[in-house]
Amino acid sequence: MFADAIMYHSYPLSIVEHVKHREMLTYLNSKVRHITRNTILKYCLLEHKRLKSMLHEILADVNNRICFTCDCWSACTSRGFLMLTAHFIDNNWNLKSRILNFRYFSPPHRGVDIYLFVVGLIKEWNLEGKTFSMTCDNAGSMDVMVARLKSDLQTFGTLPLGGRFFHVRCCAHILNLIVQSGMKVIDASVLKARETVNYIAGSDNRLVLFEKCVVDSKSNFAGKLLIDCATRWNSTYQMLKRALEAKDALNLFAIVDTSFDFGLSADEWNVVGFVCKFLEPFYNITVMFSGSDYPTANFYFRNIVAIEKLLVVAHTHTVASIQLMATVMMEKFEKYWSDYSILLAIAVLLDPRYKMHFVKIALGKLYVHAEVEVKVQEIYDAFVELYKFYDQSTSSSTVTSLQCSKCTTDYSMSSMFEDFEGGDMSVGGAESSVDSHLNTPLVPRNSESFNILEFRKSQASTFPVISRMAKDVLAVPITSIASESSFSMGGRDLTKYRSALRTDNVEAFVTTQNWLYGYLKDDEVQECFDVMKEVQPDDIDFDSLPTEEQ
């Protein structure tokens, strides 16, 4: 139990030798036999060895593919670590995420070095023949690693569709790059709001005067002004949101403090409000992307389409600075997400509440009818290709009905989301197993207890190939946030006051803690998860987005 407590709370091993700790144990039991740090370390390592053996057996027994995330981290000791995480749906249809390695990674950290290191780790777990995807950030070294790894795995013929969906870029990282590009052309009014907050927060006297202005202005502002970090756009959004809540008090402060010359005019406050409102949905989607308890992949398509829709609408905004921000952000969007729809749309096709009906309706919000038809056909063809791969991997017989290259189902565009909210949307005359799946009636969306994995499990006998596809596609992590969570865990084991821990023991503690307790959340991270519970994918309704006129 003491070993478990050390791994759960990241206590230092020396706690067993602390004088006051031993006094407490002696008080509880005068006959207690005290132990040393080496003894408790032995118990921790024995637990790690036992759990690692169990995880080996679980991964060997899993009858589907494994999705990976990978990232590098520098500890406060300046030592580098590489983290490899496995994401999979187990044989009981439960979504699992496990840190496989938190290994010391000596320099250099070039792409080819990362590749050789990751290959070694994957082989250590005997998973080179069960790989489906690799999710990582957009660093050039990671691109090199993924390309080399993909080429290696292709030689064994183990990747579906020749590795077409192998490289998954972290959505949270891309969204951050998109918004950061827009923040580089931020309006002068926002800069004045930042200067205002920094000026007030820079002196106790000014803070006292501001609090008096809050009272005198009869403002409902009850929080504190937040200082933002220029390189973290989400902190800028939070700073603007707080400043808008305190607008009356800030205007009064500008009058009372004669040395203050950053006051915002009514028009400038309006611009700040527009920018804040523009950033709000990006902030909410980022929070949803940033959970280590990541949802299945079918949740992401709607949100990324919502981002593109927001950028399209912002191009016609009445405020020139927002138009400019949207233009710059759209360039980044097209650079990284121009082909986002394929893998994420396939995940939606596996969701019985949405399927192709929703994909076509969502794309119809962005493109003209001819473009939508081309994109829908491309998604359908990719779905059929993937189906054929999974079908042929388990049976020598081919499905001749899948040889057609055209989508045989006519999905009506006439009523958009209104029709989507309707009841039975089945279309007759299914000519293949794919069409049979796509044409089954949609499951009502208003069921709060709906679990897509439970549903796919129940349909395994009816659609066995579709179920096998779902096990792999739905497990794909669209972000590498699991890596960040493991780095937080490593940061609690390695601190400037506790830097002598051996690197192999660091890996044992981080992985064992994850295998026993999952991704533990500290107070700072917990706040994000509390927000995540409030921001669900269905909260972002296309029909509630601002129109061109608005």
Side-chain angles (χ1 to χ4, degrees):
M1 290 183 68
F2 208 151
D4 285 347
I6 285 176
M7 289 182 288
Y8 184 91
H9 295 288
S10 298
Y11 292 143
L13 294 170
S14 60
I15 190 173
V16 298
E17 298 175 353
H18 289 178
V19 174
K20 291 300 179 181
H21 182 80
R22 287 188 168 184
E23 285 182 6
M24 180 187 69
L25 294 180
T26 302
Y27 172 77
L28 295 172
N29 177 10
S30 60
K31 298 180 181 180
V32 67
R33 294 178 59 188
H34 295 292
I35 59 175
T36 65
R37 67 182 73 189
N38 290 331
T39 302
I40 199 66
L41 174 61
K42 175 185 175 181
Y43 276 90
C44 291
L45 295 182
L46 284 174
E47 181 72 350
H48 169 75
K49 183 178 179 180
R50 182 182 70 85
L51 292 173
K52 186 172 182 177
S53 177
M54 289 176 58
L55 185 56
H56 262 289
E57 294 177 5
I58 291 171
L59 293 173
D61 190 48
V62 167
N63 55 19
N64 47 281
R65 295 175 178 272
I66 310 295
C67 304
F68 295 102
T69 59
C70 176
D71 208 348
C72 297
W73 177 67
S74 293
C76 62
T77 59
S78 298
R79 289 185 172 182
F81 289 82
L82 186 141
M83 191 281 310
L84 185 69
T85 302
H87 308 261
F88 59 97
I89 295 173
D90 66 17
N91 294 339
N92 292 320
W93 285 84
N94 296 311
L95 184 62
K96 301 291 185 181
S97 176
R98 296 290 183 267
I99 298 175
L100 299 183
N101 299 97
F102 194 88
R103 189 71 54 86
Y104 169 64
F105 183 29
S106 60
H109 296 163
R110 299 168 303 182
V112 64
D113 301 303
I114 298 174
Y115 151 73
L116 293 172
F117 201 76
V118 171
V119 165
L121 297 179
I122 293 177
K123 288 182 177 180
E124 180 181 307
W125 289 90
N126 299 319
L127 296 175
E128 60 269 28
K130 301 177 71 172
T131 302
F132 184 79
S133 69
M134 174 68 76
T135 302
C136 50
D137 62 27
N138 296 289
S141 57
M142 287 298 181
D143 288 345
V144 173
M145 180 273 291
V146 171
R148 294 287 296 270
L149 182 59
K150 175 182 173 181
S151 177
D152 265 14
L153 295 174
Q154 276 182 295
T155 61
F156 297 103
T158 59
L159 291 179
L161 304 189
R164 181 176 179 183
F165 305 127
F166 179 69
H167 189 185
V168 180
R169 297 183 182 274
C170 174
C171 283
H173 189 246
I174 292 175
L175 184 55
N176 182 59
L177 291 176
I178 290 172
V179 183
Q180 283 284 18
S181 65
M183 298 300 286
K184 291 179 181 178
V185 293
I186 201 166
D187 191 86
S189 303
V190 175
L191 299 179
K192 288 184 70 174
R194 175 183 291 155
E195 291 296 332
T196 297
V197 173
N198 290 343
Y199 176 81
I200 295 174
S203 163
D204 282 345
N205 290 334
R206 293 194 286 268
L207 281 172
V208 171
L209 179 58
F210 171 72
E211 290 171 0
K212 186 176 184 301
C213 290
V214 171
V215 175
D216 293 344
S217 65
K218 298 180 180 180
S219 171
N220 294 325
F221 182 68
K224 294 183 179 180
L225 295 176
L226 298 177
I227 299 176
D228 75 322
C229 174
T231 58
R232 294 181 58 189
W233 70 267
N234 54 330
S235 69
T236 302
Y237 162 75
Q238 291 173 317
M239 178 270 292
L240 294 177
K241 185 178 179 182
R242 288 288 181 87
L244 285 167
E245 293 171 358
K247 182 175 73 170
D248 293 339
L250 290 173
N251 286 336
L252 181 59
F253 182 90
I255 297 172
V256 174
D257 189 334
T258 56
S259 301
F260 180 74
D261 56 0
F262 303 114
L264 279 75
S265 66
D267 288 340
E268 288 173 328
W269 275 118
N270 286 336
V271 172
V272 170
F274 283 132
V275 172
C276 188
K277 191 170 183 62
F278 175 63
L279 292 177
E280 182 177 10
F282 294 97
Y283 176 80
N284 290 337
I285 293 173
T286 298
V287 170
M288 199 205 75
F289 280 175
S290 302
S292 59
D293 293 343
Y294 71 99
T296 46
N298 55 302
F299 277 97
Y300 293 97
F301 180 81
R302 182 184 184 98
N303 292 286
I304 296 178
V305 173
I307 291 169
E308 186 172 6
K309 174 66 174 177
L310 287 164
L311 295 177
V312 170
V313 171
H315 274 288
T316 60
H317 203 282
T318 55
V319 178
S321 59
I322 291 184
Q323 289 185 27
L324 181 58
M325 287 178 67
T327 300
V328 175
M329 291 166 69
M330 183 59 86
E331 291 176 0
K332 283 285 186 181
F333 183 96
E334 292 175 347
K335 177 181 178 181
Y336 291 111
W337 272 339
S338 58
D339 59 348
Y340 71 88
S341 59
I342 303 298
L343 178 60
L344 298 183
I346 287 176
V348 174
L349 298 189
L350 295 168
D351 191 329
R353 299 167 298 173
Y354 298 102
K355 295 195 282 193
M356 188 67 83
H357 306 280
F358 175 77
V359 171
K360 193 165 187 179
I361 289 168
L363 294 176
K365 293 285 184 178
L366 299 168
Y367 306 104
V368 298
H369 181 80
E371 290 180 290
V372 172
E373 292 300 321
V374 171
K375 290 181 178 293
V376 166
Q377 188 64 51
E378 183 181 5
I379 293 167
Y380 178 83
D381 291 343
F383 191 79
V384 169
E385 277 189 80
L386 195 61
Y387 182 97
K388 291 165 69 175
F389 173 86
Y390 279 88
D391 185 46
Q392 292 169 358
S393 65
T394 55
S395 173
S396 58
S397 62
T398 58
V399 184
T400 56
S401 60
L402 291 176
Q403 301 304 315
C404 58
S405 61
K406 294 295 181 181
C407 177
T408 59
T409 305
D410 178 22
Y411 299 101
S412 174
M413 279 284 290
S414 59
S415 52
M416 306 297 281
F417 280 99
E418 290 76 10
D419 273 1
F420 179 72
E421 299 294 345
D424 187 346
M425 287 194 162
S426 60
V427 181
E431 297 180 11
S432 70
S433 297
V434 169
D435 288 329
S436 177
H437 158 70
L438 295 177
N439 293 334
T440 54
L442 297 179
V443 173
R445 295 173 57 214
N446 55 5
S447 175
E448 295 181 1
S449 61
F450 179 81
N451 184 318
I452 188 172
L453 299 182
E454 288 292 335
F455 179 86
R456 283 289 149 223
K457 180 181 180 180
S458 69
Q459 295 287 305
S461 59
T462 306
F463 297 106
V465 179
I466 294 291
S467 293
R468 290 195 61 223
M469 289 171 57
K471 267 195 168 184
D472 291 346
V473 174
L474 295 178
V476 173
I478 306 299
T479 74
S480 58
I481 297 300
S483 307
E484 304 298 330
S485 299
S486 67
F487 297 153
S488 297
M489 295 161 68
R492 290 192 288 269
D493 288 316
L494 274 179
T495 69
K496 62 181 180 180
Y497 303 110
R498 186 187 172 196
S499 57
L501 199 62
R502 284 175 39 174
T503 56
D504 55 339
N505 290 339
V506 172
E507 179 177 40
F509 287 137
V510 170
T511 54
T512 304
Q513 184 185 78
N514 173 257
W515 299 340
L516 285 172
Y517 309 112
Y519 297 95
L520 296 177
K521 312 176 186 71
D522 54 31
D523 293 338
E524 182 180 349
V525 176
Q526 185 61 48
E527 183 180 351
C528 283
F529 278 85
D530 291 340
V531 176
M532 241 186 94
K533 293 175 183 176
E534 302 172 6
V535 183
Q536 299 299 327
D538 285 343
D539 291 343
I540 304 167
D541 190 353
F542 287 102
D543 294 330
S544 66
L545 293 175
T547 63
E548 284 76 7
E549 293 77 10
Q550 292 171 329

